Amino acid sequence: MNITGRLFGRSDPEVPAGTDTDTTVSRKAVSLAQEGRFNEAIGCFDRVLEEDPSNVKMWNNKGVFLDLLGREQEALACWEKALAIDPEFAPAWVSRGMLHRRRNRLDAALTCYDRAVKLNPNSAVAWYNRSGIFVAMQRLDDAVACYERVLAIDPHFVAAWTDLGYARFLQHQHEEAVACYDRAIADDPGSVRVWSLKGGALYALGEYRKALECFDRVLAIDPKYAAGWSMKCSVLYHLGMYRHALACADKALEINPDCELTAQVRKMLLSLTKNW
């Protein structure tokens, strides 16, 4: 999740988009951070906290930036401060959960997200992050239940549709996965990742022509996406179009010469086409 998502969430009523002081300061901090000026960004929060030391939003947001800088203990101290002021401030629990998740402390992260969704059951961001823990724990049924909860709150949450699709794919429910990817594409038609995943699901279904259309779409969006050329190569191979597949393998290796799997496929294709 990007910085803006972490600060403001998505469709979370506790941090409405508007022109209030907190939101204005936070957006300025995001802008500075995107320029790599993190210390100045943190200074934005400090100035507010000097005048309003009980501002839980600013304590939370300062913690987020410190976490992004790898200053774990300082970040945790900010969230402890926020929760000491307001133990029911759900965004601080979400922020703590994200810190633990990145450090692979899954149980600790899940505890934080459990607390967040209990405090604010309508937080799409909290449910979404909770689902990621279940994926990491290989508890796909629980992850799916969380994604569905996210989408009941916000039907246009593209990342949730995408990840629900991938969870369905891992459950070998490939048609359901394609349906999820279609919902994601409806809101974000320019996503290389979603088109690639949809192509992979169609490939698994043996729908090679439809998969090829997806990978062509991927490469129209990003012609330098090496994995897109490799995936197109695989589809063309299954369609018996070996020379075209070889050209795609060459293109993939031109972009990423270190891909051993593509190199092996290219070697096989050369063998198949050497007498043509």
Side-chain angles (χ1 to χ4, degrees):
M1 182 179 294
N2 62 25
I3 300 171
T4 305
R6 294 191 60 187
L7 295 181
F8 302 110
R10 180 180 177 118
S11 299
D12 280 3
E14 72 269 18
V15 189
T19 57
D20 59 281
T21 300
D22 291 346
T23 301
T24 301
V25 169
S26 297
R27 293 192 187 281
K28 180 179 179 181
V30 169
S31 179
L32 288 167
Q34 289 171 338
E35 297 175 6
R37 297 158 64 183
F38 279 92
N39 289 331
E40 293 177 64
I42 292 171
C44 292
F45 304 128
D46 285 337
R47 284 190 290 276
V48 175
L49 289 168
E50 286 177 7
E51 297 183 6
D52 182 10
S54 63
N55 189 318
V56 291
K57 292 181 183 179
M58 294 296 100
W59 281 114
N60 176 66
N61 293 355
K62 180 179 177 181
V64 168
F65 278 79
L66 289 167
D67 180 24
L68 291 171
L69 289 171
R71 293 157 64 176
E72 177 177 348
Q73 294 307 313
E74 293 174 80
L76 288 169
C78 287
W79 298 324
E80 288 292 342
K81 182 70 174 180
L83 292 168
I85 298 166
D86 181 1
E88 297 187 355
F89 186 62
W93 288 105
V94 173
S95 297
R96 286 177 63 169
M98 293 178 75
L99 180 148
H100 290 308
R101 172 64 184 94
R102 280 196 306 280
R103 290 156 179 79
N104 208 36
R105 301 195 289 259
L106 301 182
D107 290 331
L110 184 58
T111 297
C112 292
Y113 294 138
D114 285 346
R115 185 66 180 272
V117 298
K118 183 177 181 180
L119 291 169
N120 184 3
N122 292 318
S123 171
V125 169
W127 284 107
Y128 176 73
N129 281 284
R130 188 171 184 261
S131 64
I133 300 300
F134 288 132
V135 171
M137 291 178 166
Q138 299 184 337
R139 294 167 55 180
L140 291 181
D141 289 339
D142 290 325
V144 165
C146 286
Y147 290 131
E148 290 175 342
R149 186 66 179 265
V150 172
L151 294 165
I153 298 167
D154 180 2
H156 298 286
F157 201 125
V158 172
W161 279 117
T162 304
D163 292 348
L164 175 59
Y166 189 63
R168 292 300 192 192
F169 180 85
L170 293 175
Q171 292 176 318
H172 306 288
Q173 298 175 20
H174 300 137
E175 291 181 355
E176 290 85 350
V178 171
C180 291
Y181 297 141
D182 283 339
R183 289 294 300 268
I185 287 168
D187 282 321
D188 186 8
S191 171
V192 165
R193 179 170 182 254
V194 181
W195 280 108
S196 297
L197 290 170
K198 181 181 177 181
L202 289 166
Y203 180 90
L205 286 167
E207 298 278 358
Y208 299 126
R209 292 286 180 183
K210 292 181 179 179
L212 183 60
E213 291 175 6
C214 290
F215 297 133
D216 280 340
R217 187 63 176 264
V218 167
L219 295 168
I221 297 168
D222 183 0
K224 294 186 177 181
Y225 185 52
W229 288 106
S230 294
M231 292 183 288
K232 183 175 180 178
C233 169
S234 296
V235 173
L236 291 169
Y237 167 76
H238 280 281
L239 290 171
M241 302 170 68
Y242 300 142
R243 287 197 178 279
H244 291 292
L246 180 59
C248 289
D250 286 340
K251 186 67 176 180
L253 289 168
E254 177 185 327
I255 298 167
N256 179 17
D258 297 325
C259 182
E260 294 184 6
L261 180 59
T262 303
Q264 292 173 4
V265 171
R266 182 181 184 278
K267 184 177 180 180
M268 177 188 67
L269 288 167
L270 283 171
S271 178
L272 289 171
T273 58
K274 66 179 180 180
N275 295 322
W276 290 17

